[in-house]
Amino acid sequence: TDEGILDNAIQEYNYLLVEGYAIICPVYYSTYNRKKTINTWWANESEEYKNTIIHIGKDYKRSIDFIFSREEFDSKNLSYIGYSWGSIMSNIMLAIDNRVQFAFICAGGLQVQRSKQEIDPAIFTRRITIPVMSITGKNDGIFDYENSQIPMQKLLGTPIEDQEIIVLDNVGHLIPKDIMIENHLKWLKKYIK
């Protein structure tokens, strides 16, 4: 249900609420309780996958439109957080709208599976120029360090001085919560205007 999604977001990101930040958790096309259009989130060359990612991009932009329409939000400090799927989606989402000012991503990388060129994350990642902090586990069994994480960092268009990459030895796909919270808050405070 929609309430469950909200409850999970509040529980997961309560540390942001405690600090006075607002959180927006969009329910994108083909996710949560919305009608599913694909059976896997692994990239592929099907029209269905391409169209789903395009729909998600439109939802992402509409979510930002909503944030900018509300006076109670500090839109000039809009940031993005992505974990796992949210992290790999950042390769496209952060490139298609310039209103997000900085990003914090965990347990992600570049999908190595081929997709249609219109949604190829390798093309989009080069267009990302905002500050990005990334925390990854060197032993991640989903997004391999050598083949997924490093290529993403190399393609990122962000100037080196605005990138921070934390690679945790002996850590897999689950980033320890205390490390995530500490670094996320530090990153926000560094770039909040």
Side-chain angles (χ1 to χ4, degrees):
T1 69
D2 291 340
E3 268 184 33
I5 296 165
L6 181 59
D7 290 344
N8 287 341
I10 290 170
Q11 182 179 345
E12 186 70 25
Y13 301 112
N14 188 55
Y15 68 95
L16 294 171
L17 297 173
V18 167
E19 293 287 327
Y21 298 110
I23 57 172
I24 305 292
C25 184
V27 178
Y28 295 122
Y29 182 82
S30 196
T31 66
Y32 295 106
N33 59 350
R34 292 182 68 180
K35 182 182 175 188
K36 303 293 186 264
T37 57
I38 55 176
N39 296 323
T40 178
W41 286 109
W42 292 113
N44 61 69
E45 295 182 276
S46 72
E47 283 295 314
E48 291 82 10
Y49 182 78
K50 178 190 86 172
N51 290 334
T52 297
I53 299 304
I54 289 169
H55 278 292
I56 289 171
K58 290 176 181 178
D59 284 350
Y60 171 77
K61 289 172 84 76
R62 277 193 289 272
S63 298
I64 296 173
D65 290 343
F66 170 76
I67 293 166
F68 272 76
S69 75
R70 306 295 300 209
E71 291 180 10
E72 65 267 32
F73 295 134
D74 181 5
S75 301
K76 73 180 186 303
N77 285 309
L78 182 61
S79 69
Y80 179 98
I81 180 171
Y83 192 102
S84 189
W85 181 78
S87 182
I88 62 168
M89 289 305 297
S90 74
N91 289 302
I92 296 173
M93 300 303 127
L94 294 175
I96 64 171
D97 197 300
N98 64 3
R99 293 176 288 178
V100 171
Q101 298 301 303
F102 44 95
F104 178 78
I105 56 178
C106 294
L110 201 61
Q111 284 205 62
V112 294
Q113 298 82 7
R114 293 180 60 98
S115 61
K116 296 263 188 196
Q117 187 171 1
E118 298 95 326
I119 57 159
D120 183 349
I123 293 170
F124 286 90
T125 304
R126 293 180 176 99
R127 299 180 192 163
I128 299 169
T129 58
I130 63 170
V132 176
M133 175 183 270
S134 176
I135 302 179
T136 61
K138 202 161 192 178
N139 297 334
D140 192 323
I142 298 173
F143 302 110
D144 180 71
Y145 179 70
E146 296 291 332
N147 297 316
S148 180
Q149 296 173 27
I150 290 176
M152 178 187 159
Q153 298 304 329
K154 285 183 177 178
L155 287 174
L156 200 58
T158 301
I160 288 294
E161 61 271 16
D162 288 325
Q163 291 185 42
E164 187 164 341
I165 301 142
I166 298 171
V167 180
L168 303 172
D169 290 325
N170 302 315
V171 172
H173 194 65
L174 298 175
I175 305 298
K177 190 79 171 176
D178 59 333
I179 292 173
M180 194 174 111
I181 291 171
E182 176 188 348
N183 286 287
H184 190 197
L185 292 175
K186 179 180 82 171
W187 194 246
L188 288 170
K189 286 171 182 159
K190 179 175 181 179
Y191 286 100
I192 292 279
K193 296 173 185 152

